[in-house]
Amino acid sequence: MGKYADRLAKAGRIVRRPDPDDRRAVLMTLTSEGNDVVEDAIKAYLGAADEVVEVLDHNERLQLAELLRKILVRLEGSGAPGPDDAQTPAAASKGPTHVKLRFENAEAVEGEAG
């Protein structure tokens, strides 16, 4: 991990500073350049993911998003969603943020088409 952090710091993508609460630890923060790199990587990833699912219609995309959300929630140890979770608006707020964002994006696509 140290050599990767060294490379990121040398490239100006992170800043390291001592942790004020733990002398053994170092805190790493993205610089604005590092944040730009992360944003570009996410955009590229989401673009590739959109290409993969373009064969699915809107309802199939929503179903896939819900199924993937359930799997991620379970893998992250936050418990398995109940059978009624998919029917409630709060269901979209459970689980990882990136899944919620993709789910909301899928809903926005329907609004544009309809």
Side-chain angles (χ1 to χ4, degrees), residues 12-87:
R13 296 190 175 136
I14 64 166
V15 174
R16 291 187 283 193
R17 60 184 173 83
D19 184 338
D21 298 325
D22 184 350
R23 292 185 305 164
R24 300 166 294 171
V26 175
L27 301 175
M28 292 183 252
T29 307
L30 284 173
T31 62
S32 61
E33 181 183 338
N35 192 53
D36 291 345
V37 170
V38 170
E39 286 183 15
D40 290 345
I42 290 171
K43 286 177 187 173
Y45 169 78
L46 293 176
D50 284 343
E51 287 180 29
V52 170
V53 298
E54 71 183 0
V55 299
L56 303 176
D57 66 29
H58 174 72
N59 289 333
E60 291 169 330
R61 287 180 187 209
L62 290 177
Q63 183 179 16
L64 176 62
E66 176 62 19
L67 293 170
L68 292 173
R69 184 195 63 78
K70 285 182 179 183
I71 291 168
L72 285 172
V73 167
R74 176 50 92 53
L75 290 174
E76 290 183 348
S78 33
D84 295 329
D85 283 349
Q87 314 311 321

Side-chain angles (χ1 to χ4, degrees), residues 88-101:
T88 63
S93 66
K94 294 180 182 177
T97 303
H98 63 281
V99 174
K100 177 182 172 192
L101 293 174

